């Protein structure tokens, strides 16, 4: 391994503009469509970055390897003897901990910093004259893009951008000629799958590239499966993001998914929970599905940049809320189990700008002056007052995620889901599922038109008298490592094909999921993650949520059920009859008996929401739990049990 001393994590050093502005990290599709020079640099620079020798500490391989495998100290933080000792350290993992969001911010800054080095080098290779001038100028404002998996895809486009699924892409190369080149967002090609003996176990060393939904026979990616699976649960995902951004005000609850008995019914969700869901839905048993190797997939970086963006939005809506001290549940290269983790805990292995000490959570809260970037929604310099700025953020969230559940339903209406569902059936040459329900577009289209003049369309106002309605949510908790691997709990409303677990991800009656990124802690596939092994021994519990209201609206509007209202007197008996959940494993897709999943507890809760004239929701913060819905079902909350 080539070492070069302590590597300072600076992000991209930036001088703010005269108006206080900073360059923006932009959404991938926006970058490709509206900033073609920046997208061109992204493709060429990422190829250059991925081609760096894997022994160099600032190579793609070495930087992405910080996240999990091959579980080696990076940049001198920790020693090989520590790593090799049976009671020593096993990586820098901060998942299911208070440091989850803050640790990933300097990690992203390191990746962006290294990528930007390639951007600058590529820009200078263009022929002297207009080409070089144009790309050198674009390089100054280049920032890592993000993939916003929760927003409604642009009309006519897929839920999974083609920039991830096309093996090749058109670029203007450094010789000034337009040509087709291999697409570095499509996959990462390992130069040598095991640069050092034992870097990867057989489960992963058999793949010469990163894969998504690998074909069981050929091992090749099946990228065509991702878009329909993303689209099928989009309404629930959008509501989840909206709930987090506009109803969660406590950083600890918002940020990470660790559950304890004091967790209240309105705080089972978290940004980490939503983040897990995307790992699951885009990985399909491939690299993104496993935290040990997910960072090798280029998609990981655009996914996590979006996670960082959602946190940045939440930060500016809740500037006074930050982490509370908690005992460290594990030992790392730089901390000991039982010590208090706080805003001043070192975020190893990320050296700060002085390269003499590590960044802390307190020091990385600001994205602009610290690391030189902002997001489209966090351009605070454009506003005279903080209240004006926060109002603009809320409006942006509404526009993107249909924060008002009726707007959410209209934007991600039944027709959109049905279209993606039909596309999957055609692309995989499958027969129509036996329980498919015919969908008509007239009512969703009418509702969408009505939304232009009112926060609640006239045809749905009876469902929200006085602009109030109950938001229905499924709360799920389970032991993270209870099944010695990753698994998902999928919620359904209505009949499904019980005999075909693989079809559940695109089943029309699938509402949403909670994805549990557990790891193997026994046998030959035991993870090297020290925190995970400790968490498993401690029977760590995690939680997540599946919003139901959009699915209930769908059933009401389609008039194919007896449901006519969102009120408890109708919804409770309906959910007792129609709500079900199933558990399947990431790796094999095998169904597991819910009664055999350690710690699994599924419950249903609701909270009153008032929709303002501006379309924004006001959450009451008071939650009612309905054990009668889940009592008697495997893994369901029973009457009298603690939620």
């Amino acid at each position: 391994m080539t070492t070069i001393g302590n590597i300072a994590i600076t992000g991209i050093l930036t001088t703010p503009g005269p108006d206080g502005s900073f360059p923006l990290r932009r959404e991938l599709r926006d970058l490709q469509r509206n900033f073609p020079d920046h997208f061109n640099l992204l493709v060429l620079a990422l190829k250059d970055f991925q081609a760096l020798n894997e022994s160099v500490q600032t190579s793609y391989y070495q930087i992405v390897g910080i996240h999990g495998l091959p579980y080696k100290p990076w940049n001198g933080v920790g020693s090989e003897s520590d790593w090799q000792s049976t009671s020593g350290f096993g990586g820098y993992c901060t998942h299911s901990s208070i440091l989850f969001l803050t640790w990933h911010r300097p990690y992203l800054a390191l990746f962006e910093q290294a990528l930007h080095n390639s951007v600058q080098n590529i820009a200078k290779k263009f022929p002297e004259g207009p080409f070089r001038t144009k790309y050198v100028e674009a390089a100054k404002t280049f920032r890592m893009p993000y993939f916003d998996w929760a927003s409604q895809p642009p009309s006519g486009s897929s839920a999974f951008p083609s920039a991830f699924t096309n093996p090749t892409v058109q670029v203007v190369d450094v010789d000034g000629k337009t040509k087709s080149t291999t697409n570095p967002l499509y996959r990462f090609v390992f130069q040598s799958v095991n640069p050092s003996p034992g870097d990867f176990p057989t489960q992963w060393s058999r793949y010469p590239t990163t894969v998504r939904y690998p074909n069981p026979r050929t091992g090749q990616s099946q990228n065509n499966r991702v878009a329909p699976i993303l689209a099928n649960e989009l309404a629930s995902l959008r509501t989840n993001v909206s709930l987090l951004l506009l109803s969660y005000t406590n950083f600890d609850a918002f940020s990470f998914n660790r559950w304890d008995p004091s967790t209240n019914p309105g705080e089972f969700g978290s940004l980490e929970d939503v983040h897990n869901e995307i790992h699951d839905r885009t990985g399909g048993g491939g690299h993104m599905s496993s935290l040990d190797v997910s960072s090798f997939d280029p998609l990981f970086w655009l996914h996590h940049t979006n996670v960082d963006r959602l946190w940045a939005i939440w930060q500016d809506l809740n500037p006074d809320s930050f982490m509370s001290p908690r005992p460290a549940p594990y030992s790392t290269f730089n901390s000991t189990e039982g010590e208090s983790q706080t805003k001043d805990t070192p975020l190893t292995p990320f050296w700060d700008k002085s390269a003499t000490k590590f960044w802390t959570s307190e020091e990385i809260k600001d994205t602009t002056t610290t690391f030189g970037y902002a997001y489209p929604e966090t351009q605070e310099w454009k506003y005279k007052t903080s209240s004006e700025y926060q109002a603009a953020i809320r409006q942006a969230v509404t526009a993107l995620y249909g924060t008002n559940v009726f707007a959410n339903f209209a934007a991600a209406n039944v027709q959109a889901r049905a279209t993606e569902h039909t596309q999957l059936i055609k692309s995989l040459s499958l027969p129509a599922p036996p329980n498919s329900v015919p969908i008509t577009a007239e009512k969703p289209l009418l509702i969408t038109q009505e939304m232009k003049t009112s926060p609640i369309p006239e045809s749905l106002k009876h469902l929200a008298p006085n602009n109030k309605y109950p938001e229905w949510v499924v709360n799920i908790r389970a032991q993270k490592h209870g099944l010695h691997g990753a698994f998902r709990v999928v919620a359904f409303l209505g009949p499904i094909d019980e005999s075909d677990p693989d079809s559940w991800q695109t089943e029309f009656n699938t509402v949403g999921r909670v994805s549990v990124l557990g790891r193997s802690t026994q046998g030959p596939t035991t993870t090297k993650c020290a925190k995970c092994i400790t968490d498993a021994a401690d029977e760590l519990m995690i939680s997540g949520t599946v919003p139901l209201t959009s699915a209930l609206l769908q059933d009401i509007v389609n008039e194919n059920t007896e449901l006519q209202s969102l009120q408890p007197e109708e919804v409770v008996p309906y959910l007792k009859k129609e709500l079900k959940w199933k558990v399947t494993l990431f790796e094999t897709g095998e169904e597991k008996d819910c009664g055999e999943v350690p710690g699994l507890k599924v419950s249903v809760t609701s909270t009153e929401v008032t929709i303002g004239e501006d379309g924004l929701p006001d959450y009451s913060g008071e939650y009612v739990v309905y054990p009668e819905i889940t009592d008697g079902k495997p893994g369901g909350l029973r009457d009298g049990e603690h939620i």
Side-chain angles (χ1 to χ4, degrees):
M1 180 187 297
T2 303
T3 59
I4 52 177
N6 293 352
I7 299 170
I9 314 303
T10 63
I12 301 174
L13 296 173
T14 307
T15 301
D19 59 351
S21 61
F22 284 83
L24 303 183
R25 289 179 173 176
R26 299 184 184 276
E27 212 280 334
L28 176 63
R29 288 161 289 200
D30 176 42
L31 192 79
Q32 187 172 13
R33 185 182 304 108
N34 299 316
F35 300 88
D37 296 342
H38 292 77
F39 182 77
N40 200 75
L41 285 173
L42 170 67
V43 173
L44 296 179
L46 187 55
K47 283 189 63 176
D48 179 74
F49 183 26
Q50 290 178 350
L52 292 178
N53 189 294
E54 293 176 353
S55 66
V56 177
Q57 289 235 294
T58 52
S59 67
Y60 183 94
Y61 181 86
Q62 290 286 340
I63 289 175
V64 305
I66 293 170
H67 195 261
L69 284 168
Y71 286 101
K72 293 182 178 180
W74 184 81
N75 199 206
V77 185
S79 68
E80 292 292 342
S81 59
D82 285 335
W83 159 240
Q84 291 165 355
S85 69
T86 57
S87 60
F89 307 105
Y92 308 102
C93 175
T94 60
H95 298 93
S96 301
S97 91
I98 197 67
L99 304 179
F100 168 68
L101 289 178
T102 58
W103 184 88
H104 281 84
R105 181 163 283 175
Y107 189 27
L108 286 166
L110 168 62
F111 184 90
E112 185 174 51
Q113 177 180 329
L115 177 62
H116 191 252
N117 287 338
S118 288
V119 166
Q120 292 177 304
N121 292 335
I122 290 294
K124 293 172 185 175
K125 289 182 179 180
F126 281 90
E128 287 191 26
F131 266 123
R132 182 180 296 179
T133 300
K134 178 172 71 168
Y135 285 108
V136 167
E137 196 62 28
K140 295 177 183 177
T141 55
F142 175 89
R143 295 296 183 271
M144 182 73 186
Y146 61 90
F147 166 38
D148 186 2
W149 24 255
S151 64
Q152 191 69 25
S155 178
S157 65
S158 169
F160 195 48
S162 60
F164 292 121
T165 62
N166 290 335
T168 60
V169 62
Q170 289 288 114
V171 296
V172 178
D173 209 344
V174 292
D175 58 5
K177 297 179 180 178
T178 300
K179 60 185 71 171
S180 177
T181 189
T182 53
N183 179 7
L185 293 170
Y186 177 66
R187 64 186 184 185
F188 171 63
V189 179
F190 294 93
Q191 296 172 22
S192 171
V193 176
N194 280 297
S196 297
D199 271 7
F200 290 88
T202 304
Q203 177 188 3
W204 299 111
S205 63
R206 60 190 171 125
Y207 295 115
T209 71
T210 55
V211 292
R212 304 170 193 139
Y213 286 87
N215 183 294
R217 291 182 297 102
T218 67
Q220 297 296 308
S221 287
Q222 300 178 98
N223 277 295
N224 62 319
R225 297 200 62 184
V226 180
I229 289 170
L230 284 176
N232 198 51
E233 300 165 41
L234 182 60
S236 176
L237 175 63
R238 286 160 62 83
T239 302
N240 238 342
V241 170
S242 300
L243 282 167
L244 287 167
L245 293 178
L246 296 185
S247 76
Y248 281 54
T249 57
N250 178 280
F251 176 84
D252 294 5
F254 168 83
S255 62
F256 72 113
N257 67 352
R258 189 185 187 100
W259 178 91
D260 64 52
S262 66
T263 303
N264 74 55
E267 294 183 337
F268 268 57
S270 66
L271 188 51
E272 183 175 12
D273 168 46
V274 173
H275 143 276
N276 291 351
E277 182 180 335
I278 303 305
H279 273 281
D280 175 13
R281 290 164 68 188
T282 60
H287 289 73
M288 276 293 286
S289 299
S290 170
L291 293 180
D292 273 347
V293 292
S294 58
S295 55
F296 287 92
D297 189 332
L299 170 61
F300 172 96
W301 298 96
L302 283 80
H303 164 45
H304 265 275
T305 303
N306 193 47
V307 172
D308 182 77
R309 165 181 161 266
L310 293 174
W311 175 35
I313 290 171
W314 186 91
Q315 279 183 286
D316 287 354
L317 289 174
N318 302 273
D320 298 324
S321 180
F322 202 42
M323 64 178 63
S324 55
R326 294 191 176 226
Y330 57 95
S331 294
T332 68
F333 285 111
N334 214 49
S335 64
T336 304
E337 181 179 349
E339 291 180 350
S340 183
Q341 285 185 331
T342 72
K343 59 186 177 62
D344 299 316
T345 296
L347 300 175
T348 53
F350 307 122
W351 300 100
D352 71 3
K353 292 178 181 179
S354 72
T356 61
K357 58 187 180 65
F358 298 109
W359 284 109
T360 68
S361 299
E362 177 67 24
E363 293 168 335
I364 57 82
K365 288 196 292 185
D366 180 68
T367 70
T368 54
T369 56
T370 306
F371 293 128
Y373 68 89
Y375 293 103
E377 300 83 7
T378 63
Q379 300 178 67
E380 187 174 5
W381 58 85
K382 288 186 171 184
Y383 302 93
K384 295 179 181 179
T385 65
S386 59
S387 59
E388 185 181 327
Y389 172 48
Q390 289 182 337
I393 293 178
R394 290 188 178 92
Q395 290 294 343
V397 170
T398 303
L400 283 168
Y401 305 120
T403 305
N404 161 355
V405 71
F406 297 98
N408 191 357
F409 174 73
N413 62 50
V414 182
Q415 182 64 21
R417 287 186 64 211
T419 299
E420 290 281 4
H421 193 248
T422 302
Q423 288 175 349
L424 175 78
I425 299 301
K426 290 180 178 178
S427 68
L428 300 182
S429 300
L430 298 174
N435 298 303
S436 293
V437 178
I439 303 301
T440 57
E442 288 80 3
K443 278 208 170 183
L445 181 59
L446 172 63
I447 292 166
T448 304
Q449 292 169 342
E450 290 174 345
M451 288 298 301
K452 296 177 181 178
T453 58
S454 171
I456 304 177
E458 287 295 329
S459 55
L460 296 181
K461 276 194 172 179
H462 66 285
L463 299 175
N466 300 315
N467 282 13
K468 298 178 185 292
Y469 72 94
E471 183 77 59
W472 293 88
V473 179
V474 176
N475 284 340
I476 298 171
R477 60 177 170 93
Q479 275 190 37
K480 181 174 182 177
H481 304 288
L483 294 181
H484 302 288
F487 62 96
R488 62 184 70 89
V489 185
V490 187
F492 311 91
L493 272 185
I496 60 171
D497 184 352
E498 302 269 354
S499 66
D500 185 12
D502 191 53
S503 71
W504 297 343
Q505 298 206 70
T506 51
E507 161 62 52
F508 186 77
N509 287 329
T510 298
V511 181
R513 72 184 68 192
V514 169
S515 301
V516 185
L517 301 185
R519 306 197 205 189
S520 175
T521 55
Q522 64 181 21
T525 59
T526 296
T527 181
K528 295 180 180 180
C529 171
K531 175 187 183 300
C532 305
I533 294 171
T534 299
D535 285 346
D538 292 342
E539 299 183 347
L540 170 73
M541 297 285 291
I542 58 86
S543 65
T545 55
V546 178
L548 288 174
T549 314
S550 290
L552 293 170
L553 276 173
Q554 172 183 289
D555 287 349
I556 293 170
V557 169
N558 281 332
E559 299 178 345
N560 54 17
T561 69
E562 66 272 23
L563 187 65
Q564 300 296 318
S565 164
L566 291 174
Q567 299 307 311
E569 55 268 23
E570 287 206 33
V571 172
V572 169
Y574 184 72
L575 292 180
K576 286 177 68 174
K577 176 183 176 184
E578 300 293 350
L579 177 66
K580 58 176 68 73
W581 51 88
K582 299 283 187 179
V583 174
T584 59
L585 304 180
F586 277 24
E587 187 174 355
T588 64
E590 171 193 355
E591 181 184 1
K592 297 295 290 185
D593 188 319
C594 290
E596 297 178 2
V597 180
L600 179 65
K601 195 65 63 179
V602 180
S603 57
V604 176
T605 185
S606 74
T607 186
E608 185 177 79
V609 183
T610 302
I611 301 176
E613 288 305 313
D614 58 1
L616 294 177
D618 179 26
Y619 296 89
S620 71
E622 297 180 5
Y623 284 78
V624 179
V625 180
Y626 302 89
E628 62 267 37
I629 294 174
T630 52
D631 197 349
K633 298 179 181 181
L637 182 75
R638 301 181 187 279
D639 191 25
E641 280 189 319
H642 180 65
I643 190 171

